[in-house]
Amino acid sequence: MRVNKMLTLLFLAVIAVCSGLQAQTVDEIVNKHIDAMGGKDKLKGLQSMYTEGIMEVRGMEIPLKLWLVNDKAMRMEFEVMGSNNIQVVTRNGGWMQMPMQGPDPKVMDSSMVHAMQSRLDLAGELYDYKAKGRTVTLEGKETKDGMDTYKLKVTNRDGSVIILYVDANTYYIDQMQTHIKAQGQEMDITTVLSDYKKTDNGFVYPASTSQEPIGTKISVSKVEVNKPVDDTIFVMPKKS
């Protein structure tokens, strides 16, 4: 009996130690990633971001503009065949105005809103993750495109999961995998992030992102951080 009890206690002790080592390793990776992106103070101070770039899809180059107010709202504009298309997502909902679907704005599908709301967090999935109700676990080490990466599993408060591959040398996120449910369709999306650059105030961002199986690539040409944003751009206009 004493032997069994001793083995049980030993087993529990080993589990506790291993869990502690994993947590320490995860936090170490997360902290190095945050430092690589500009540091805690830079990420904590992110209030807004304005981005310009080109989206390549099916052989077309589409001019893109994006306004983001941290944890509040996002507006994306892109020009297709001479018409300006708008998509807006806030913490309370979303709307879109797509001329090819009619002249009037319309409320965005709730599943689409939910899928896009994760982008409202300018600091990213790993910054202050515990306070945001997320858990992060280290799933091992993998080689991606010849580079060693740490595979991190991020579980959000709502149960949704994001897989991140953090470069073991730069501590930038090289790849992320998500499962999207929108408008009755489900899809696994892999996003590759590269060509990291730094703004004048020291914030680091990926200047190139591509997504599969959608087949899109976005090349960023301009990023402005913490410039004033007029909140009225997120308000759905009245129908004509």
Side-chain angles (χ1 to χ4, degrees), residues 216-237:
T216 61
K217 179 181 179 181
I218 297 176
S219 300
V220 174
S221 57
K222 181 179 181 179
V223 172
E224 293 180 345
V225 174
N226 293 344
K227 295 293 180 71
V229 177
D230 184 355
D231 288 342
T232 61
I233 68 171
F234 305 116
V235 179
M236 181 174 171

Side-chain angles (χ1 to χ4, degrees), residues 12-26:
L12 292 174
V14 170
I15 291 296
V17 169
C18 289
S19 298
L21 287 174
Q22 186 192 48
Q24 185 180 12
T25 303
V26 166

Side-chain angles (χ1 to χ4, degrees), residues 2 12 33-35 38-39 57-58 62 91 98 103 107 144 163 168 197 227 235:
R2 289 181 180 178
L12 292 174
H33 164 72
I34 290 170
D35 288 341
V57 54
R58 297 178 181 177
I62 302 171
R91 281 298 175 199
M98 317 280 276
V107 175
K144 292 286 182 183
I163 301 297
K197 296 182 179 180
K227 295 293 180 71
V235 179

Side-chain angles (χ1 to χ4, degrees), residues 54-110:
I54 297 293
M55 179 168 60
E56 299 176 37
V57 54
R58 297 178 181 177
M60 294 188 297
E61 292 190 348
I62 302 171
L64 179 74
K65 295 180 180 179
L66 183 68
W67 292 262
L68 259 165
V69 177
N70 188 43
D71 204 35
K72 290 184 178 180
M74 172 179 68
R75 177 188 176 104
M76 182 169 63
E77 293 184 7
F78 53 97
E79 187 178 323
V80 179
M81 298 177 67
S83 65
N84 192 44
N85 298 266
I86 302 169
Q87 291 183 340
V88 170
V89 171
T90 70
R91 281 298 175 199
N92 301 316
W95 58 272
M96 61 176 64
Q97 190 166 18
M98 317 280 276
M100 295 184 71
Q101 299 178 9
D104 292 326
K106 63 180 181 179
V107 175
M108 189 179 292
D109 179 84
S110 59

Side-chain angles (χ1 to χ4, degrees), residues 96-216:
M96 61 176 64
Q97 190 166 18
M98 317 280 276
M100 295 184 71
Q101 299 178 9
D104 292 326
K106 63 180 181 179
V107 175
M108 189 179 292
D109 179 84
S110 59
S111 61
M112 207 171 156
V113 170
H114 180 72
M116 295 176 69
Q117 280 176 333
S118 62
R119 298 184 62 188
L120 298 181
D121 188 351
L122 281 174
E125 290 79 11
L126 297 179
Y127 174 76
D128 209 14
Y129 70 89
K130 294 176 184 176
K132 295 172 183 175
R134 299 173 181 145
T135 59
V136 179
T137 56
L138 176 59
E139 302 294 297
K141 208 171 182 182
E142 293 188 15
T143 300
K144 292 286 182 183
D145 297 326
M147 304 296 291
D148 289 335
T149 64
Y150 295 106
K151 181 180 179 181
L152 300 182
K153 179 182 178 182
V154 181
T155 305
N156 294 305
R157 186 174 288 153
D158 63 2
S160 60
V161 171
I162 301 174
I163 301 297
L164 303 177
Y165 292 92
V166 179
D167 192 301
N169 294 308
T170 64
Y171 288 91
Y172 295 148
I173 295 175
D174 286 346
Q175 191 179 117
M176 46 192 313
Q177 296 175 349
T178 54
H179 184 76
I180 301 297
K181 296 179 181 180
Q183 297 181 316
Q185 297 183 350
E186 296 190 28
M187 184 183 300
D188 290 317
I189 296 180
T190 297
T191 303
V192 177
L193 305 96
S194 60
D195 192 20
Y196 278 83
K197 296 182 179 180
K198 185 181 292 187
T199 63
D200 292 339
N201 70 340
F203 172 70
V204 178
Y205 65 95
S208 178
T209 61
S210 60
Q211 289 186 326
E212 294 296 342
I214 302 174
T216 61

